[in-house]
Amino acid sequence: MRHFTNVKDMGDLHVALQEALEIKKDRYKYVELGKHKTLLMVFFNSSLRTRLSTQKAAMNLGMNVIVLDVNQGAWKLETERGVIMDGDKSEHLLEAVPVMGSYCDIIGVRSFAHFENREDDYTEKILNQFIQYSGRPVFSMEAATGHPLQAFADLITIEEHKETKRPKVVLTWAPHPKALPQAVPNSFADWMNEADVDFVITHPEGYELDPKFVRGAKVEYDQKKAFEGADFIYAKNWACPGVTRPEDYGKILSKDMSWTVDAEHMSWTNNAQFMHCLPVRRNMIVSDDVIESPRSLVIPEAANREISATVVLKRILEEIG
């Protein structure tokens, strides 16, 4: 595997899960694999779990790690061609990216959606410039439209905690005060559609995810119906994806608190376990009692970010030799 941006890059998910569980038993089994190799982690946005878990994963594999916060201590970067650079941006990404590549062996990139232009976001302009111009393997630490490291960790968590062979997994929209990207729900749908689960998506009308991520998943607009018989509830907010109305892309269409996952909502399920990628707005996305319950998986889910990142980096290291 040279680049990692979506579920297709992972190949057979059963094999990937077995590899993840093997690594979890011995995180340092492949510590010699990354000797004298350097990982550069480039952050255009804030991070807690991604930064810590990916750096720890690299250390598990014996790698050196460089962390660059583009917005703190680096030159402001221009990303558009043809721009007269007479403003506050001192360096162009087209020069910066190959320079970054010269200092490392693998690059991880984190860059959120800007909600200014749907096409720019959904063509992953920044991530793809790193892939095209760095000369190095590149993996997504969350991009404009996807967060595959999170989705892989989610799948590992479901595999570890499932109580039936083919569980029902529900992705539910929940309210939030800010407009959030679709990266996490997009990738969660992308991975669940390839996994051996019964997958359902529920959200208010107008929040339809891009068809390339939804694919054959069932979409249920009635949240209560969607929750019936569920084994896992994955709550997440996202702003309007602009699928049916491009002019609404990135807008908040609803703050309906009846979608907040609380004890009543969980009572509709098959004693489901609760999941969320974190950070979470308590009592908007989920009530205190649900996230603090014994059926909440948010902490082991976050811990599995180290495992998903270790698998990805291991496979890239094996590819580049």
Side-chain angles (χ1 to χ4, degrees):
M1 180 170 70
R2 183 166 178 83
H3 303 298
F4 178 70
T5 64
N6 60 61
V7 69
K8 297 297 185 185
D9 295 325
M10 186 54 65
D12 188 319
L13 288 188
H14 177 74
V15 172
L17 284 169
Q18 294 310 306
E19 190 173 350
L21 297 176
E22 174 197 3
I23 283 172
K24 195 165 185 177
K25 291 177 183 176
D26 183 359
R27 295 161 201 249
Y28 301 101
K29 183 175 182 179
Y30 302 97
V31 71
E32 294 297 317
L33 192 58
K35 187 176 182 180
H36 302 315
K37 293 289 195 299
T38 298
L39 168 65
L40 171 61
M41 301 165 60
V42 183
F43 290 89
F44 289 84
N45 300 92
S46 301
S47 173
L48 188 153
R49 277 147 297 276
T50 297
R51 180 189 297 255
L52 297 179
S53 62
T54 308
Q55 187 164 354
K56 177 61 165 62
M59 293 166 64
N60 293 350
L61 297 165
M63 299 187 74
N64 303 310
V65 181
I66 303 172
V67 178
L68 175 64
D69 283 302
V70 172
N71 297 321
Q72 297 180 23
W75 300 113
K76 288 188 176 181
L77 295 176
E78 178 58 64
T79 61
E80 299 294 327
R81 288 179 179 272
V83 173
I84 297 174
M85 292 176 59
D86 58 356
D88 64 343
K89 295 177 180 177
S90 304
E91 186 161 10
H92 203 287
L93 202 66
L94 294 181
E95 284 79 63
V97 167
V99 168
M100 293 180 202
S102 70
Y103 302 142
C104 65
D105 300 282
I106 301 173
I107 302 178
V109 181
R110 182 176 176 94
S111 178
F112 293 174
H114 294 295
F115 287 150
E116 295 170 0
N117 183 303
R118 189 181 192 280
E119 183 178 356
D120 283 355
D121 287 341
Y122 271 77
T123 55
E124 294 290 3
K125 180 176 287 189
I126 292 178
L127 179 63
N128 282 323
Q129 286 189 74
F130 275 87
I131 291 173
Q132 185 173 358
Y133 299 113
S134 69
R136 300 297 181 192
V138 174
F139 67 96
S140 170
M141 298 191 300
E142 186 170 2
T145 66
H147 197 348
L149 284 175
Q150 178 65 55
F152 186 20
D154 296 334
L155 180 60
I156 295 167
T157 306
I158 290 170
E159 180 67 18
E160 289 180 312
H161 293 271
K162 68 183 183 182
E163 295 165 350
T164 60
K165 184 177 180 180
R166 193 171 192 273
K168 179 178 179 180
V169 179
V170 177
L171 169 63
T172 180
W173 178 93
H176 195 282
K178 296 173 62 178
L180 298 185
Q182 296 98 48
V184 169
N186 281 346
S187 278
F188 188 73
D190 198 27
W191 286 67
M192 290 302 108
N193 277 319
E194 300 299 322
D196 188 18
V197 301
D198 177 13
F199 181 50
V200 179
I201 304 171
T202 184
H203 54 72
E205 291 191 20
Y207 281 95
E208 292 79 10
L209 296 172
D210 193 287
K212 71 179 180 180
F213 298 108
V214 176
R215 299 201 285 281
K218 180 181 179 181
V219 177
E220 173 57 70
Y221 294 99
D222 185 323
Q223 191 185 30
K224 186 172 184 178
K225 286 183 180 179
F227 275 42
E228 289 175 358
D231 299 295
F232 293 91
I233 297 296
Y234 197 107
K236 186 69 180 77
N237 174 267
W238 61 90
C240 176
V243 172
T244 56
R245 288 174 53 87
E247 64 271 24
D248 288 338
Y249 175 60
K251 292 182 179 179
I252 297 174
L253 303 181
S254 173
K255 292 183 181 179
D256 185 353
M257 296 291 286
S258 72
W259 284 76
T260 300
V261 179
D262 58 18
E264 180 184 356
H265 286 68
M266 296 302 284
S267 74
W268 303 335
T269 72
N270 182 32
N271 193 28
Q273 299 178 80
F274 177 80
M275 301 179 70
H276 187 279
C277 61
L278 301 181
V280 66
R281 299 277 185 142
R282 284 182 174 229
N283 301 306
M284 285 206 74
I285 300 289
V286 59
S287 63
D288 289 330
D289 53 348
V290 170
I291 197 170
E292 293 174 7
S293 79
R295 302 293 283 175
S296 173
L297 298 176
V298 296
I299 303 305
E301 182 183 357
N304 277 332
R305 291 294 308 280
E306 175 191 347
I307 307 306
S308 66
T310 304
V311 173
V312 168
L313 286 171
K314 169 183 172 288
R315 289 191 174 193
I316 295 174
L317 286 167
E318 289 170 340
E319 173 72 19
I320 64 178

